[in-house]
């Protein structure tokens, strides 16, 4: 199972910013292309006051800061240059995390979707949308938000595909700010299947692909949960991807590049389950030869050896 897509986390609210300019990003897209990555997904176009493009709406209505560079345009141009598909990630106001009310994210993104498509929809590399609300289980209002925003994204863009990347409420599903590495209150396989069956039933007309994050459950649980995810996606006609996290959730230091053996275990489980595509969070910090983390370049080398042996 080869990784053919990656998120781009340029807001970097819980991992260090690498302060790259166009030259470094151009080089990183080359590194991605060299190992078969064909899709880049901007994980969010903004978080609270920091945004990735000069949005008249977000600056005037949400007090967002004017970005020094239009990153959305740069990523679209680099994607065109290197022959990659670009998925645009929606805005995260942070208000849902503060209040538990998902309607805030719907209200903000109704304007963002229209604004972004009018500014950037002409780029041939604009290939899809990422609905950036990360959820697990029956998060209040989440299914409705996915459906409403997914329908709008598809409606304005002549039915370009939409993607979500939820998390499984396993033992490692703890807040990034927590010092704990695991928790006792976890979802059972049966609960996971029942709850996501209900969610998929509501959203499947508006969401084309689901890429569950793979880092919140233990390695021996991968096969069973992946089989359920694939069964549910097939039932509702959705593509089943895996978000193969390339950072390690098992260490007290958050977050560092993952041990290759662990990444291989997760990719092999996805292959066995018959998944349609593997993406990662995320190449530039945790797998790139030019990452601020020295061990990311070593992970790139080990991964390259792995896929070379698959040929």
């Amino acid at each position: 199972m080869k990784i053919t897509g990656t998120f781009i986390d340029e807001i970097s609210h819980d991992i260090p910013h690498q302060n790259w300019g166009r030259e470094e990003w151009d080089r990183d897209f080359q590194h991605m292309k060299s190992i078969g990555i064909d899709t880049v997904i901007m994980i969010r176009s903004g978080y609270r006051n920091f945004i990735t493009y000069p949005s008249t709406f977000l600056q005037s209505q949400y007090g967002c800061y004017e970005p020094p560079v239009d990153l959305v345009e740069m990523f679209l141009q680099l994607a065109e240059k290197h022959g990659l598909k670009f998925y645009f990630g929606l805005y995260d106001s942070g208000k849902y995390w503060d209040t538990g009310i998902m309607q805030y994210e719907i209200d903000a993104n109704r304007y963002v979707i229209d604004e972004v498509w009018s500014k950037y929809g002409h780029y041939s590399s604009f290939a899809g949308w990422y609905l950036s609300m990360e959820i697990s289980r029956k998060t209040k209002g989440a299914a409705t938000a996915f459906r409403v925003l997914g329908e709008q994204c598809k409606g304005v863009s002549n039915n370009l595909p939409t993607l979500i990347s939820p998390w499984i409420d396993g033992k490692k599903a703890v807040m990034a700010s927590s010092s704990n590495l695991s928790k006792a209150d976890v979802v059972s396989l049966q609960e996971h299947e029942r709850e996501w069956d209900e969610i998929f039933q509501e959203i499947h007309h508006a969401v084309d692909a689901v890429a569950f994050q793979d880092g919140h459950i233990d390695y021996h649980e991968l096969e069973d949960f992946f089989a359920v995810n694939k069964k549910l996606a097939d039932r509702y006609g959705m593509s089943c991807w895996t978000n193969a996290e390339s950072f390690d959730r098992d260490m007290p230091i958050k977050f560092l590049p993952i041990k290759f053996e662990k990444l291989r275990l997760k990719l092999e489980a996805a292959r066995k389950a018959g998944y349609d595509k593997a993406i990662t969070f995320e190449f530039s910090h945790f797998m790139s030869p030019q990452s601020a983390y020295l061990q990311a370049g070593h992970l790139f080398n080990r991964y390259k050896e792995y896929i070379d042996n698959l040929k």
Side-chain angles (χ1 to χ4, degrees):
M1 191 81 187
K2 297 179 181 179
I3 295 171
T4 57
T6 181
F7 283 103
I8 300 175
D9 183 16
E10 184 51 20
I11 293 298
S12 306
H13 81 95
D14 58 2
I15 52 177
H17 202 286
Q18 301 197 100
N19 293 303
W20 288 354
R22 190 182 188 95
E23 180 181 347
E24 290 88 356
W25 278 111
D26 192 352
R27 194 157 53 238
D28 223 48
F29 275 49
Q30 292 178 49
H31 290 312
M32 295 173 193
K33 187 74 176 289
S34 74
I35 59 169
I37 287 176
D38 59 24
T39 306
V40 291
I41 306 143
M42 190 173 66
I43 196 163
R44 59 185 70 84
S45 53
Y47 179 64
R48 298 187 187 267
N49 295 112
F50 289 95
I51 52 179
T52 58
Y53 73 100
S55 167
T56 302
F57 169 73
L58 292 175
Q59 289 178 78
S60 64
Q61 299 299 313
Y62 285 77
C64 293
Y65 309 130
E66 183 175 0
V69 178
D70 187 337
L71 293 167
V72 173
E73 185 168 66
M74 184 183 74
F75 291 148
L76 283 162
Q77 290 172 351
L78 291 176
E80 284 196 349
K81 176 181 177 180
H82 296 283
L84 305 180
K85 299 175 182 178
F86 174 84
Y87 277 58
F88 178 87
L90 301 187
Y91 172 67
D92 185 343
S93 74
K95 292 185 178 181
Y96 164 73
W97 302 113
D98 296 336
T99 65
I101 300 173
M102 191 65 76
Q103 187 63 41
Y104 287 119
E105 309 311 318
I106 297 175
D107 294 342
N109 280 294
R110 279 193 172 282
Y111 289 92
V112 167
I113 292 165
D114 287 342
E115 180 181 56
V116 162
W117 185 251
S118 67
K119 286 172 68 74
Y120 308 109
H122 63 281
Y123 280 98
S124 61
S125 54
F126 198 130
W129 305 85
Y130 174 58
L131 311 181
S132 60
M133 301 81 68
E134 293 183 24
I135 69 162
S136 181
R137 309 182 71 173
K138 297 167 72 174
T139 305
K140 184 179 179 181
T144 299
F146 282 146
R147 177 178 52 77
V148 169
L149 295 176
E151 288 173 350
Q152 183 176 344
C153 287
K154 295 173 76 65
V156 302
S157 64
N158 195 28
N159 210 38
L160 285 183
T162 54
L163 166 70
I164 63 172
S165 186
W167 41 281
I168 300 168
D169 195 20
K171 61 181 288 188
K172 291 184 271 188
V174 296
M175 293 293 291
S177 57
S178 170
S179 61
N180 296 324
L181 295 178
S182 63
K183 63 178 186 177
D185 181 21
V186 299
V187 69
S188 69
L189 188 66
Q190 294 73 24
E191 289 172 318
H192 176 77
E193 180 171 3
R194 182 176 66 253
E195 292 169 356
W196 279 99
D197 183 77
E198 293 178 10
I199 294 170
F200 283 5
Q201 188 171 20
E202 179 170 351
I203 71 173
H204 71 280
H205 293 300
V207 175
D208 296 286
V210 55
F212 277 100
Q213 301 168 32
D214 70 1
H216 296 94
I217 54 177
D218 217 337
Y219 301 98
H220 68 273
E221 299 177 292
L222 290 167
E223 184 174 339
D224 290 339
F225 275 92
F226 280 15
V228 165
N229 294 343
K230 184 67 166 69
K231 179 173 71 172
L232 290 174
D234 287 349
R235 178 180 298 165
Y236 290 100
M238 301 165 69
S239 293
C240 191
W241 300 5
T242 188
N243 180 357
E245 294 179 343
S246 42
F247 66 93
D248 203 331
R249 291 188 180 272
D250 302 329
M251 301 179 65
I253 303 173
K254 300 176 180 178
F255 295 101
L256 295 175
I258 199 168
K259 179 182 180 182
F260 171 70
E261 180 184 358
K262 296 177 180 179
L263 180 61
R264 185 186 63 81
L265 282 171
K266 297 191 295 183
L267 290 172
E268 288 297 318
R271 179 194 59 78
K272 187 173 182 180
Y275 276 23
D276 301 301
K277 187 178 183 71
I279 62 176
T280 187
F281 183 88
E282 50 74 83
F283 179 87
S284 297
H285 280 91
F286 305 118
M287 289 187 72
S288 171
Q290 62 173 359
S291 168
Y293 299 121
L294 180 64
Q295 59 268 50
H298 299 317
L299 180 58
F300 178 89
N301 292 335
R302 301 294 79 74
Y303 174 75
K304 195 168 185 304
E305 292 167 355
Y306 167 71
I307 61 173
D308 286 345
N309 287 331
L310 296 177
K311 294 176 182 177

